[in-house]
Amino acid sequence: MQPAKTPTTVHTAQQVGDTSSRWAWVEAAVWTERMLAALDTRVKGGKWFRLIDKVFSRRNLAAGFARVQANGGAAGIDHVSVDHYATHLERHLENLEAALRQGTYRPQAVRRVYIPKPDGTQRPLGIPTVQDRVVQAALRHVLEPIFERDFADQSYGFRPGRSCKDALRRVDALLQDGYVHVVDADLKSYFDTIPHERLMERIRSRVADGRVLQLLESFLAQGVLDGLREWTPEEGTPQGAVISPLLANIYLDPLDHLLAAAGLAMIRYADDFVILCRTPAEAQRALALVQQWTVDNGLTLHPTKTRLVDVRQDGFDFLGYHFQRTQTGLRHWPRKKSLHKLKDTLRAKTKRTNGRSLSCTITDVNRVLRGWFGYFKHSYRTTFASLDGWVRMRLRSILRKRRGGRGRGRGADHQRWPNTFFAEQGLYSLAAAHRLACRSSCR
């Protein structure tokens, strides 16, 4: 016969259940119920010791590889792909565990590549080796809950249970509530300019395990292989590294709390943030606070991209959307760069000389359109019909070419291949998908 449950044991069980539910996203290979309970109540002195054994545990390294494998990505400077690493996974993890346990592990240089941006500039990305990504993922499993516990509510980027859409909903709600004066801020080259020592100071405020700190410092000091030139960065954390989003959030967290304490409505997604205010004076005060904080913390606001906006007269871009008041009210739709990026992707798939069947082309186009609509379906309704027409024009141009014609699909082509023809071929309609989404939302 089991002993009767006292109020104390019932309350304790409820606390354990609440803790497990609240931290359901953490890596089970690292975080036991006892550790989570300590996380909730805050460990003695506010610092965590003896974490390195959690980093190099075989189960955590295996979980780290699972995360790397799910994300995919290119090989680093050693040319070892994720698939190749997986073929000898047990041996790799055994060697990795031993090196981390003995303190002999050293990360390799990061391979730098450049991604073209719509404005003609290039965004630098760093690609660590698969093995270094595994270690960074294991390290993130250990560190993320420690800092996540105290992150501010207005931070949405790269955090468990939060997304771009959550940030966008918050922006929309504030605009609807009369917060029409906006500080549209841009941190210049943020990831590449984070001061290493100041970042480590913030990590040391929570973590006292010297070997974990050394491991983090070794990643910050990783060499960068840019073509034939290798150099060691004195600041920044490479975009593309598994650990970088967490480090970026750690460094900006004091700014989040500063603005929250000042009663300002900030919405931040990684290094992209806006502050919504009710009056011009409040917006000026918010901008002054941000300007002073960035100077004090070794960062730079972009001089031309940081500005004050009154959405009743002008608009602003945030997370791919453009927000602005129109004659029919506050509206949002894809920003110009988002539309250009979509059209560039579709142009590559709908060249008149592509040689593929119409069915294959439409299947390829549909895949892009469905993914794009999943993010931009909350745009104002006029967005979608014009895009549908543009896609059909591209397809008519292919068919016109195959009949010996030249130029874009136009004129009689609309009668020869009407809109119903493409619907019968299975072409995804953004406008129809939007109507269906609106009906579902109303229900």
Side-chain angles (χ1 to χ4, degrees):
M1 184 175 178
Q2 293 183 342
K5 292 181 179 179
T6 67
T8 301
T9 58
V10 171
H11 180 64
T12 301
Q14 288 174 341
Q15 283 183 317
V16 171
D18 290 344
T19 297
S20 299
S21 173
R22 188 162 49 254
W23 296 103
W25 57 271
V26 304
E27 178 51 55
V30 175
W31 289 91
T32 64
E33 286 189 1
R34 183 178 178 183
M35 290 176 67
L36 289 176
L39 191 63
D40 262 349
T41 58
R42 192 180 289 278
V43 291
K44 186 176 181 180
K47 292 189 177 184
W48 288 78
F49 296 81
R50 297 182 58 80
L51 293 173
I52 190 64
D53 59 313
K54 310 295 189 300
V55 176
F56 65 61
S57 79
R58 185 72 63 86
R59 286 182 61 210
N60 188 24
L61 291 174
F65 174 75
R67 173 179 281 208
V68 171
Q69 189 174 43
N71 291 338
I77 65 168
D78 60 358
H79 305 294
V80 176
S81 67
V82 174
D83 289 341
H84 186 269
Y85 196 89
T87 58
H88 304 285
L89 183 60
E90 286 304 315
R91 176 165 56 83
H92 285 309
L93 296 185
E94 181 181 352
N95 293 338
L96 197 51
E97 179 187 3
L100 287 165
R101 184 189 297 272
Q102 295 163 13
T104 58
Y105 168 81
R106 299 290 182 274
Q108 294 180 265
V110 170
R111 181 166 67 89
R112 172 151 286 192
V113 296
Y114 293 90
I115 307 299
K117 296 171 66 175
D119 61 4
T121 62
Q122 292 186 315
R123 181 189 303 277
L125 292 180
I127 303 178
T129 64
V130 173
Q131 178 158 279
D132 288 343
R133 294 189 329 242
V134 170
V135 177
Q136 288 189 19
L139 188 58
R140 182 172 176 174
H141 290 161
V142 173
L143 295 178
E144 188 167 27
I146 295 172
F147 291 93
E148 176 64 30
R149 180 191 185 280
D150 297 314
F151 277 162
D153 286 340
Q154 60 263 50
S155 167
Y156 292 87
F158 306 106
R159 292 184 60 190
R162 291 169 170 245
S163 68
C164 285
K165 291 185 178 180
D166 294 320
L168 292 167
R169 288 189 194 100
R170 179 62 177 154
V171 169
D172 189 57
L174 288 167
L175 289 171
Q176 298 293 344
D177 200 28
Y179 289 74
V180 294
H181 297 277
V182 181
V183 179
D184 183 9
D186 186 278
L187 289 170
K188 187 176 181 180
S189 303
Y190 171 61
F191 279 83
D192 288 335
T193 58
I194 299 174
H196 288 175
E197 185 51 39
R198 294 181 186 180
L199 171 62
M200 290 305 301
E201 284 176 9
R202 280 163 206 182
I203 295 169
R204 292 187 196 105
S205 70
R206 295 282 188 273
V207 176
D209 186 319
R211 291 183 61 187
V212 168
L213 295 172
Q214 287 176 356
L215 185 59
L216 267 174
E217 287 175 331
S218 72
F219 282 122
L220 292 175
Q222 271 180 287
V224 176
L225 187 62
D226 190 348
L228 298 177
R229 184 173 70 95
E230 184 173 351
W231 52 279
T232 302
E234 296 181 359
E235 57 186 10
T237 178
Q239 294 188 62
V242 177
I243 199 73
S244 290
L246 175 60
L247 299 181
N249 276 336
I250 290 171
Y251 198 72
L252 286 181
D253 187 56
L255 175 62
D256 299 341
H257 286 285
L258 173 68
L259 294 177
L264 294 165
M266 175 194 196
I267 301 92
R268 182 174 67 81
Y269 195 95
D271 59 332
D272 196 0
F273 66 91
V274 290
I275 307 166
L276 277 70
C277 306
R278 288 189 180 275
T279 66
E282 188 179 39
Q284 289 282 3
R285 179 170 69 92
L287 178 57
L289 272 175
V290 173
Q291 288 172 329
Q292 188 60 55
W293 189 90
T294 52
V295 169
D296 293 344
N297 287 270
L299 301 176
T300 305
L301 285 173
H302 200 291
T304 58
K305 294 182 180 180
T306 299
R307 62 199 184 108
L308 298 177
V309 177
D310 182 341
V311 296
R312 296 168 299 183
Q313 302 171 8
D314 197 1
F316 68 96
D317 295 338
F318 186 59
L319 299 181
Y321 276 87
H322 180 79
F323 293 83
Q324 191 166 350
R325 182 185 288 278
T326 68
Q327 291 181 342
T328 55
L330 283 166
R331 300 287 181 240
H332 51 268
W333 54 85
R335 67 175 185 166
K336 289 181 180 179
K337 287 182 180 179
S338 300
L339 289 174
H340 290 162
K341 185 176 180 181
L342 171 66
K343 288 186 173 183
D344 285 346
T345 301
L346 291 173
R347 283 190 185 97
K349 297 179 182 298
T350 56
K351 292 180 178 178
R352 278 170 274 180
T353 56
N354 67 21
R356 297 185 303 166
S357 69
L358 182 64
S359 174
C360 287
T361 300
I362 287 177
T363 298
D364 211 7
V365 166
N366 284 351
R367 191 178 299 113
V368 175
L369 292 177
R370 284 194 179 95
W372 188 87
F373 182 76
Y375 187 76
F376 288 104
K377 63 183 175 183
H378 301 291
S379 299
Y380 192 54
R381 63 179 181 272
T382 55
T383 301
F384 304 106
S386 60
L387 278 173
D388 281 340
W390 184 85
V391 171
R392 289 191 294 264
M393 178 275 295
R394 296 288 301 179
L395 296 176
R396 287 189 182 103
S397 299
I398 293 174
L399 297 174
R400 179 186 178 91
K401 171 75 173 177
R402 291 175 183 177
R403 287 176 61 90
R406 300 175 63 185
R408 302 198 311 179
R410 61 187 185 275
D413 296 331
H414 288 263
Q415 286 73 48
R416 187 175 292 115
W417 301 292
N419 295 355
T420 54
F421 168 80
F422 294 106
E424 291 166 358
Q425 298 297 313
L427 178 64
Y428 186 79
S429 168
L430 295 169
H434 183 252
R435 288 194 295 271
L436 180 60
C438 288
R439 287 198 295 269
S440 299
S441 177
C442 290
R443 288 198 296 269

